[in-house]
Amino acid sequence: MDGEVVLRFGDSGSKRLDHPLGCACYEDKFIVSDSGNNCVKVFDGKGKFLYKFGEKGNGDGRLDKPWGICIDKYGSILVCEKLNNRIQMFTLEGAFMGKTSANLNLQWPWAVTTMPDDRILITDFKENEVYILK
């Protein structure tokens, strides 16, 4: 807990992060939800910007205030969206794969993680609930 900073990134240049709210590490990449820029940014293990995906909107693959993020055991990225009230799934390269059903009625999905049996846990900040999806 008293560790020293060994790497800092995303704080300068044209790829600057604006309200990064979630992050995950997969293989040698850092994946960050950039809420202020309505996208997900991917950096290499040394913090060098590689690429981004998503842009503001509510269609498939578009993001509106991405918050929590996780990577499942298959390398798929799951992203919580506050203002679109859903979870979207992307490939590691950023291609849209799917989203939660509108019937789920999430309000402010805040965090997401996966379980070893592939179920998905989602916390809903506004509703004070946890959902488990199969």
Side-chain angles (χ1 to χ4, degrees), residues 22-132:
C23 62
C25 182
Y26 184 78
E27 295 177 346
D28 62 343
K29 295 179 177 69
F30 300 118
I31 299 98
V32 182
S33 62
D34 188 352
S35 187
N37 289 312
N38 295 297
C39 65
V40 172
K41 291 183 178 169
V42 180
F43 300 84
D44 71 11
K46 295 181 180 177
K48 178 183 171 197
F49 175 79
L50 298 174
Y51 58 91
K52 70 174 188 164
F53 61 89
E55 59 185 53
K56 187 171 177 67
N58 61 8
D60 292 347
R62 293 184 175 263
L63 300 167
D64 200 350
K65 298 298 180 208
W67 284 9
I69 192 167
C70 78
I71 314 299
D72 71 11
K73 65 184 176 185
Y74 307 105
S76 302
I77 302 171
L78 289 91
V79 182
C80 297
E81 288 181 86
K82 174 186 175 185
L83 296 184
N84 282 332
N85 304 318
R86 65 185 178 186
I87 309 297
Q88 290 196 78
M89 181 182 280
F90 298 89
T91 65
L92 192 57
E93 295 76 27
F96 173 77
M97 296 175 65
K99 62 187 175 192
T100 51
S101 165
N103 296 335
L104 188 55
N105 199 25
L106 295 169
Q107 294 302 307
W108 283 5
W110 187 280
V112 61
T113 193
T114 58
M115 298 172 64
D117 64 1
D118 295 331
R119 290 184 294 168
I120 300 170
L121 277 74
I122 303 165
T123 60
D124 190 314
F125 180 80
K126 192 171 184 181
E127 293 297 314
N128 297 310
E129 295 178 327
V130 176
Y131 296 88
I132 300 176

